[in-house]
Amino acid sequence: MSLLVFANVLNALDRQIVNVLAERIKQDLQLADWQIGAIGGLAFALFYTVFGIVIGRQAERRDRRLIISISLATWSAFTALCGLAQNFVQLLLLRVGVAIGEAGCTPASHSLISDYVPKERRVSALGIFSAGAPLGFLAGMALGGLVADGFGWRAAFVAAGLPGLLLSLLLLTTLREPRNLRAAAPTPASSLRATLSYLASKRTFRVLVVTGSLIAFIGYGQGLFIVSFFLRCHGDELVGLTSEFNAAFGFKLQPLGFLGIALGLIAGITGAIGASLGGLLADCLGRRDPRSSMIIPGVTSFLLVPIFIAVLSTSSIKVALSMMVACGALSTVFAGPLFGAFQSIVPRHMRATTAAILLFSMNLVGLGLGPLTVGALSDWINIGLGYGPAEGVRWSLTVVTLVGLVPAALFATARHSLGKDEVS
């Protein structure tokens, strides 16, 4: 289980490191915000989602240990190669390679974890696995910022990719595949059409796939441009705050390095706590009534909207960073309950495919359209309306944040159907 969490850390690190490097890449390669959105989102999402379904189908009948190990080695190698990109097209294609590799991690891991642990601990186990994502965000922001300050953004990609090559060997040699231990033959995997037909009959699936997609749309859009927001809207304050920090602790950080560490620690630590606690609390509530697991993510999704808008509105960088602590904790509470609900409404032989279908929607809508939407809105407000790059990114993030009211309502809707749809 711990190795799978570590793999998920690297999954998030290699995916999200573009966030802290976005401004450096934009300046060096002379890119527009929409191109940054395409590199960080759309190109990745298109291939991640398609290959996620393909690899998820294989995970229903083949060695999930081998699938995860090969996937990890693939995305790690392509991440390191991103440091060699000389233009927009090259970087875009290399990020496609990262996407193809990462497509094999989560569906197979969700299926494997659901076999490892009993039903009553499934949501909390998936919550702990999901805690790897904010920890990866922490590592990506801190590592990316520090290495980019010292050696450039290209070196940051190389440093991010190398650990995964070593971990892939460790996973291959130590992870176990429970299917090999069963005396009876495993249940044959159903066809993709049969799985889709089965899921379409579940009201919980229909509601939560929209919910997860909107959460991803907001989260990925905010994540790719939050560093740009602080650099553009609080640039002078950031320089002063970095100087204060260096004087107090004897460091010699540059503003980007300081910001990467600050945001990484805030989002990483609080996000990991939020994901773990969200799963544990949902399991506790769900023992009496499975529907109760939808209450907590519904409430936190609603609270996130005014808090994040306050982050974007305040004129003080210290206040903004302080409120990011609450955002980091609340933004990941949904993970365990959402993924656990999906695993509980399908039989064992549909679990990996179901996870892949959920990720297909979340990443196509969220990762594919979230950053691109924020980038396009930012360019329009900046250039089309003439408000400048700082207000462009501020107002584009504000508009996307308001979408968060919809998933808050949808979690309440899913509560009414989860008890009836649960089967495993």
Side-chain angles (χ1 to χ4, degrees):
M1 176 73 181
S2 58
L3 289 177
L4 291 176
V5 174
F6 192 20
N8 200 31
V9 169
L10 294 182
N11 184 301
L13 189 161
D14 291 349
R15 186 185 311 185
Q16 302 295 336
I17 194 170
V18 175
N19 297 2
V20 73
L21 303 177
E23 285 294 297
R24 294 286 180 86
I25 296 171
K26 172 183 170 71
Q27 294 166 8
D28 188 26
L29 300 183
Q30 297 295 299
L31 305 180
D33 278 349
W34 76 264
Q35 291 175 302
I36 293 295
I39 290 171
L42 183 60
F44 188 101
L46 288 174
F47 286 84
Y48 182 95
T49 53
V50 171
F51 279 85
I53 296 291
V54 174
I55 300 174
R57 295 295 300 153
Q58 295 302 310
E60 301 288 19
R61 56 176 66 89
R62 300 188 185 279
D63 190 334
R64 291 166 290 186
R65 171 188 60 92
L66 183 61
I67 289 172
I68 295 169
S69 300
I70 293 175
S71 297
L72 175 55
T74 301
W75 90 61
S76 299
F78 274 103
T79 297
L81 289 172
C82 285
L84 303 177
Q86 299 298 313
N87 55 51
F88 169 69
V89 174
Q90 290 178 6
L91 186 55
L92 194 72
L93 293 175
L94 288 168
R95 292 298 292 174
V96 166
V98 177
I100 293 172
E102 291 198 0
C105 178
T106 304
S109 296
H110 279 195
S111 175
L112 203 55
I113 291 168
S114 295
D115 277 357
Y116 280 163
V117 300
K119 174 186 171 182
E120 58 270 16
R121 292 195 290 113
R122 185 181 298 152
V123 174
S124 53
L126 289 170
I128 292 170
F129 173 77
S130 299
L135 291 175
F137 181 83
L138 185 164
M141 296 290 282
L143 174 71
L146 289 172
V147 176
D149 270 347
F151 304 98
W153 64 267
R154 299 179 186 280
F157 275 120
V158 176
L162 295 180
L165 298 175
L166 298 176
L167 181 61
S168 65
L169 295 175
L170 187 61
L171 284 169
L172 187 62
T173 54
T174 61
L175 205 62
R176 66 182 180 88
E177 170 55 82
R179 287 179 188 146
N180 296 336
L181 304 179
R182 295 181 187 146
T187 304
S190 60
S191 68
L192 179 59
R193 176 179 293 182
T195 302
L196 287 171
S197 177
Y198 179 86
L199 290 172
S201 70
K202 299 284 187 175
R203 186 169 184 266
T204 302
F205 169 81
R206 299 195 301 269
V207 172
L208 287 185
V209 77
V210 175
T211 306
S213 299
L214 290 176
I215 289 174
F217 175 84
I218 299 162
Y220 283 122
Q222 292 172 340
L224 186 60
F225 285 95
I226 191 63
V227 172
S228 297
F229 163 75
F230 277 104
L231 291 174
R232 297 179 194 180
C233 297
H234 296 282
D236 293 337
E237 270 193 293
L238 179 60
V239 172
L241 188 59
T242 304
S243 298
E244 290 178 22
F245 181 84
N246 288 338
F249 297 99
F251 290 109
K252 297 181 180 180
L253 296 175
Q254 297 297 315
L256 182 60
F258 170 78
L259 186 61
I261 291 174
L263 290 176
L265 286 172
I266 290 170
I269 294 175
T270 60
I273 292 172
S276 300
L277 286 180
L280 289 170
L281 289 173
D283 263 344
C284 289
L285 291 174
R287 289 190 184 102
R288 293 184 178 179
D289 184 354
R291 299 174 300 173
S292 299
S293 62
M294 297 290 97
I295 296 175
I296 296 171
V299 172
T300 55
S301 296
F302 177 80
L303 292 175
L304 266 171
V305 176
I307 296 174
F308 198 83
I309 288 178
V311 170
L312 300 172
S313 304
T314 181
S315 59
S316 169
I317 189 173
K318 292 181 180 179
V319 173
L321 289 173
S322 297
M323 288 189 292
M324 284 294 293
V325 174
C327 291
L330 295 174
S331 64
T332 58
V333 168
F334 80 92
L338 179 71
F339 296 140
F342 271 89
Q343 292 294 297
S344 71
I345 64 174
V346 295
R348 176 180 286 116
H349 60 284
M350 291 183 180
R351 286 175 180 166
T353 303
T354 299
I357 292 169
L358 172 61
L359 293 172
F360 177 93
S361 180
M362 288 181 68
N363 286 282
L364 190 62
V365 175
L367 187 56
L369 299 180
L372 190 62
T373 299
V374 175
L377 275 174
S378 177
D379 284 337
W380 177 63
I381 295 169
N382 170 21
I383 301 170
L385 300 182
Y387 283 95
E391 292 305 306
V393 73
R394 186 200 305 274
W395 283 104
S396 62
L397 286 171
T398 300
V399 170
V400 168
T401 299
L402 289 170
V403 177
L405 295 173
V406 180
L410 290 176
F411 273 118
T413 302
R415 182 174 178 270
H416 298 295
S417 60
L418 180 57
K420 183 180 69 173
D421 287 341
E422 193 174 42
V423 296
S424 65

